[in-house]
Amino acid sequence: MIPVILSGGSGTRLWPLSRGLFPKQFLPLTSSRSMMQETLSRLDGVSDCQQPLVICNEEHRFIVAEQLRQQGVQGAGILLEPIGRNTAPAIAAAALHAMCDDGDPLLLVLAADHSIQDVTAFQASIKVAFQAAQDGALVTFGIVPTAPETGYGYIQKGDDRGGSGTFSVRRFVEKPDLSTARAYLADGDYLWNSGMFLFRASALIRELEKFAPEMLVACRRAVETATSDLDFIRLGKEAFSASPGDSIDYAVMEKTDKAVVVPLSAGWSDVGSWSALWDVSAKNAHGNVEKGDVTAVDSHNCYLHSSDGRLIATVGVDDLIVVDTDDAVLVAHKDKVQDVKKVVELLNHAGRSEAVHHRVVYRPWGCYDSIDSGERYQVKRITVKPGARLSVQMHHHRAEHWVVVSGTAKVLKGDQELLLAENQSVYIPVGVIHALENPGKIPLELIEVQSGAYLGEDDIVRFEDRYGRC
């Protein structure tokens, strides 16, 4: 059994913590580990589990690789989507890739950004689903509803399949209005659609041949034309882009007669909004979730998150979401959090960087924090991981001055090679080829002062890059 982790979401409803280049699946929202790392950790103890296959956006590949490394996961496959095409093409590509060596494994399809509180119940449901999947069924996991939720699709279960804990699927239904959701809850036969599945790779491919042949052709060509890049597998861009962009529910599950559902009651949430995160988080006696430096006076049922060390103080407020980051603050009523995505749409329309990335930007070699900027200058705090190296590059429009704060820097400056220790510095003029490397065993910290007529990140000409970037 191969876990297939879908990690393509953007998480716009959890802005400003979740950003386009660092979405919610990579954030530690429910524990000290990221949502993706929590997803991986839930597989510990599941029998017959091979290393996972993670499907993600190309722009997230180094974040995925680093979080897998932090989790101690070795040998995982990282399949890169050149463009988002929804869940059906992603899962189809994963199934085809899994069958490349004439294998036919079971695929346990999980989202990277779900929260499950009862891991034991979750693992027990996999055991229940296992035999049905072995026998050729396409098993989905339906969440036993605890409220008339209008933000989820539903699955109406049918007959009990011989007391095995699995049920036939009568139908899939779209997100209902409140009165319909209440009727579903009272009926007892309706489950939330979790978007988690277990099936044999060949069983999915056979159903795609019936119901989505054009998609299957495109995905098969994308896998056949895939290329390896470091630890990544890049799907063929032209072929994958030609695939229709449908969900796995619409492409297959709503049409197949092989669908089976396993009811799951395990404290599941897709953490699709700030109110959902409040629901699954530990609260104090006043119903508040308080993260970071928070002082709340006469305030109740709020989610208060300070992520940059600044104090958040509230007085006499109820049912509010207050999230403070280093470059943005969100204040929203808990009943209106679904509209946070509208904020992101407005920011994107205005070309604001706050929609895309945090002030701290992660790179395969480390990260940088843009701590100050003004006309013709910018100041960054740069951290380079031990053994890591930035690309050999040059800039047409800016000069750079590096001051080492801690660690050791190995610097290429034109035809010179320099070794800089703490409190030493170097100046890189405009147009000079240069590179920065950390040859030590501790992180290299330095301050970079850029000056020039144009300071955009696209003013980089790379001559050599160990991470395969252009």
Side-chain angles (χ1 to χ4, degrees):
M1 183 169 64
I2 298 177
V4 175
I5 312 297
L6 302 179
S7 183
S10 59
T12 55
R13 290 182 179 89
L14 289 180
W15 184 89
L17 282 189
S18 179
R19 307 285 176 101
L21 291 182
F22 207 88
K24 69 171 182 172
Q25 59 265 33
F26 306 125
L27 295 170
L29 296 177
T30 58
S31 74
S32 60
R33 293 180 291 205
S34 74
M35 301 288 284
M36 187 180 76
Q37 290 170 330
E38 284 291 334
T39 300
L40 293 167
S41 71
R42 285 194 288 272
L43 299 172
D44 291 343
V46 176
S47 59
D48 300 313
C49 226
Q50 297 183 30
Q51 292 298 339
L53 177 63
V54 181
I55 307 175
C56 69
N57 186 298
E58 282 191 23
E59 292 180 323
H60 300 154
R61 65 193 187 279
F62 294 114
I63 303 172
V64 169
E66 175 63 15
Q67 294 206 350
L68 288 171
R69 185 196 66 79
Q70 292 173 358
Q71 192 68 8
V73 177
Q74 298 180 342
I78 303 176
L79 201 61
L80 304 183
E81 292 180 289
I83 186 172
R85 277 292 179 259
N86 213 322
T87 56
I91 297 171
L96 291 164
H97 174 76
M99 298 172 69
C100 279
D101 296 327
D102 297 324
D104 189 14
L106 293 178
L107 304 180
L108 176 62
V109 180
L110 305 172
D113 57 358
H114 289 179
S115 171
I116 294 178
Q117 296 176 335
D118 190 341
V119 175
T120 301
F122 167 70
Q123 294 184 349
S125 73
I126 295 174
K127 291 182 180 180
V128 170
F130 195 89
Q131 188 58 55
Q134 287 271 42
D135 294 339
L138 305 185
V139 184
T140 184
F141 297 84
I143 308 302
V144 177
T146 56
E149 178 61 57
T150 60
Y152 300 142
Y154 284 71
I155 301 168
Q156 185 182 19
K157 66 181 182 181
D159 297 331
D160 187 331
R161 300 173 73 251
S164 63
T166 64
F167 295 80
S168 63
V169 172
R170 189 158 294 162
R171 62 175 180 143
F172 287 79
V173 293
E174 297 297 323
K175 298 174 183 178
D177 57 28
L178 184 58
S179 62
T180 304
R182 285 172 174 158
Y184 289 166
L185 186 65
D187 182 282
D189 281 340
Y190 287 85
L191 307 166
W192 292 338
N193 187 352
S194 71
M196 300 187 295
F197 307 92
L198 181 62
F199 39 65
R200 193 169 290 286
S202 61
L204 175 68
I205 297 305
R206 284 194 295 271
E207 298 308 284
L208 284 167
E209 287 174 340
K210 294 179 188 176
F211 304 115
E214 182 182 351
M215 179 185 297
L216 183 60
V217 168
C219 290
R220 181 171 277 128
R221 190 175 299 122
V223 171
E224 291 171 349
T225 57
T227 57
S228 294
D229 172 11
L230 299 176
D231 296 328
F232 311 113
I233 305 145
R234 292 179 179 271
L235 293 170
K237 183 174 183 178
E238 183 178 350
F240 195 76
S241 300
S243 172
D246 288 331
S247 69
I248 191 67
D249 289 335
Y250 180 80
V252 174
M253 298 302 293
E254 294 179 6
K255 300 168 183 175
T256 181
D257 60 1
K258 306 292 186 185
V260 168
V261 64
V262 173
L264 172 61
S265 181
W268 173 91
S269 172
D270 71 348
V271 196
S273 68
W274 286 112
S275 59
L277 184 56
W278 177 85
D279 285 337
V280 301
S281 300
K283 305 168 189 64
N284 63 18
H286 301 287
N288 296 323
V289 176
E290 299 180 3
K291 304 283 186 179
D293 194 0
V294 173
T295 297
V297 177
D298 192 25
S299 301
H300 307 88
N301 303 318
C302 296
Y303 186 94
L304 309 172
H305 188 125
S306 172
S307 57
D308 193 41
R310 279 190 296 268
L311 170 67
I312 290 179
T314 62
V315 180
V317 299
D318 298 331
D319 300 313
L320 282 188
I321 305 295
V322 182
V323 181
D324 173 53
T325 68
D326 50 20
D327 62 350
V329 178
L330 170 71
V331 181
H333 194 277
K334 210 160 27 153
D335 291 343
K336 295 292 184 179
V337 291
Q338 294 294 338
D339 291 335
V340 171
K341 64 179 181 179
K342 296 180 180 179
V343 174
V344 179
E345 291 171 0
L346 290 171
L347 293 175
N348 278 320
H349 183 72
R352 296 284 299 256
S353 63
E354 293 91 338
V356 180
H357 56 73
H358 292 273
R359 204 180 74 178
V360 176
V361 176
Y362 292 89
R363 292 288 187 255
W365 45 260
C367 64
Y368 67 83
D369 182 0
S370 299
I371 57 180
D372 193 18
S373 64
E375 187 176 354
R376 297 182 63 88
Y377 80 91
Q378 183 168 222
V379 182
K380 294 182 177 180
R381 182 169 57 236
I382 295 178
T383 302
V384 185
K385 295 184 291 188
R389 186 189 191 192
L390 283 68
S391 59
V392 179
Q393 59 185 255
M394 72 91 150
H395 311 294
H396 289 295
H397 304 288
R398 72 172 185 253
E400 296 174 341
H401 193 155
W402 296 336
V403 181
V404 177
V405 176
S406 64
T408 302
K410 184 177 180 181
V411 178
L412 173 68
K413 176 185 174 182
D415 56 2
Q416 295 179 282
E417 192 171 274
L418 309 171
L419 204 61
L420 303 181
E422 185 174 322
N423 293 324
Q424 293 184 316
S425 63
V426 64
Y427 173 68
I428 310 293
V430 174
V432 171
I433 295 175
H434 61 279
L436 174 65
E437 183 177 352
N438 179 1
K441 296 183 178 180
I442 63 171
L444 165 63
E445 304 277 350
L446 58 85
I447 299 297
E448 176 183 86
V449 181
Q450 301 176 358
S451 59
Y454 180 72
L455 305 174
E457 283 300 306
D458 55 348
D459 179 24
I460 297 178
V461 179
R462 288 192 173 96
F463 299 96
E464 177 188 333
D465 184 62
R466 64 174 57 174
Y467 308 109
R469 298 170 298 172
C470 298

